[in-house]
Amino acid sequence: MLSTSITESQKINIEKVLIETSAAYSPLSAECRQDFIDNLSIRKFQRGDMVVREGQFAKKAYLIVSGCSRAFYLKEGKDITDWFTFENQFMASIVSFFSDRPSPHYLEFLEDSTVLEFSKEIMDSLSDKHHDFERFISRVVTETMLGLCERLYTIQFNKASDRYRYLLNIYPKITERVPLTHIASYLGVTLETLSRIRNPKNRI
């Protein structure tokens, strides 16, 4: 893991990332973006790096500039992926970050990644100072929770082939970036079942 100070040229690129990201959630003012940038750290992670493990307290969150990651947990020795995170999305152990409880998840990078790191203290401070940042974070959390609820619904009520098509609709190139074993566990199917779904001859 590498950490670097932010140069002026990087600040311009970071602001572009924040503009694109906030447009997807809730707009941030120029002043708010600058305060956020001033309190961010740029970090680089390699594929396979684990930033949080089950039982740890996680007080850092990450906005992915490039790369991707996943959150997973272990149940009876099985590795189950709960969600994926890609460019312009936030990665955090949600339970631990917001509630000061041990994380039930592991957070792992699936590609060499560049991220913007910030702490819970910074998030709270900016939320107190900027109402637009407070709305932004609220929208991020809401969208994340809705995504998790949608996943639970699809697993309970949709066929495996429909769940796979839904995932491809959200992340069209996910099979080029994420190992199929992780996609299978996310969908709640075996790798063999996923292989049959992916075979055009067997699609329903």
Side-chain angles (χ1 to χ4, degrees):
M1 177 185 68
L2 297 175
S3 176
T4 60
S5 57
I6 299 176
T7 65
E8 287 303 316
S9 61
Q10 286 174 325
K11 284 185 178 181
I12 295 173
N13 292 332
I14 292 172
E15 182 164 19
K16 181 181 177 182
V17 170
L18 292 181
I19 290 173
E20 292 174 352
T21 303
S22 63
Y25 294 104
S26 182
L28 297 175
S29 67
E31 180 185 0
C32 179
R33 291 196 304 270
Q34 188 57 56
D35 275 357
F36 196 15
I37 291 171
D38 290 341
N39 287 281
L40 290 171
S41 297
I42 297 179
R43 294 195 178 274
K44 295 182 182 294
F45 293 93
Q46 294 183 331
R47 178 181 178 180
D49 280 351
M50 206 88 65
V51 290
V52 176
R53 296 178 184 275
E54 180 184 5
Q56 292 181 340
F57 288 86
K59 289 305 167 190
K60 300 287 187 181
Y62 309 89
L63 172 58
I64 296 187
V65 177
S66 64
C68 66
S69 64
R70 68 171 181 138
F72 70 96
Y73 61 92
L74 298 178
K75 182 177 181 181
E76 298 176 353
K78 284 188 64 177
D79 173 330
I80 301 175
T81 298
D82 226 357
W83 68 83
F84 300 105
T85 312
F86 294 90
E87 287 82 4
N88 295 342
Q89 294 182 329
F90 286 90
M91 169 190 180
S93 177
I94 299 169
V95 171
S96 186
F97 187 77
F98 287 101
S99 68
D100 197 31
R101 289 187 289 170
S103 173
H105 290 99
Y106 296 79
L107 299 184
E108 176 189 23
F109 284 98
L110 301 177
E111 296 177 338
D112 292 348
S113 302
T114 299
V115 304
L116 305 178
E117 180 191 81
F118 60 97
S119 67
K120 176 68 161 52
E121 290 74 18
I122 292 300
M123 185 195 74
D124 290 340
S125 175
L126 291 177
S127 294
D128 290 339
K129 183 177 180 181
H130 300 283
H131 291 307
D132 51 340
F133 190 82
E134 184 178 25
R135 287 194 301 271
F136 172 72
I137 291 298
S138 176
R139 188 64 183 271
V140 168
V141 173
T142 299
E143 291 292 329
T144 301
M145 292 298 101
L146 288 174
L148 291 174
C149 289
E150 183 68 28
R151 174 178 176 262
L152 290 175
Y153 178 86
T154 58
I155 286 179
Q156 288 181 324
F157 299 108
N158 292 354
K159 294 185 299 183
S161 56
D162 292 335
R163 299 200 296 269
Y164 179 64
R165 282 194 288 268
Y166 178 78
L167 181 64
L168 288 183
N169 185 56
I170 300 174
Y171 303 120
K173 295 185 178 182
I174 191 170
T175 57
E176 300 174 15
R177 304 180 64 180
V178 174
L180 293 180
T181 51
H182 299 333
I183 294 175
S185 73
Y186 175 83
L187 296 174
V189 301
T190 64
L191 185 57
E192 291 75 16
T193 297
L194 178 59
S195 296
R196 287 196 296 271
I197 293 170
R198 282 168 49 79
N199 186 334
K201 295 180 180 179
N202 295 331
R203 287 186 182 175
I204 300 173

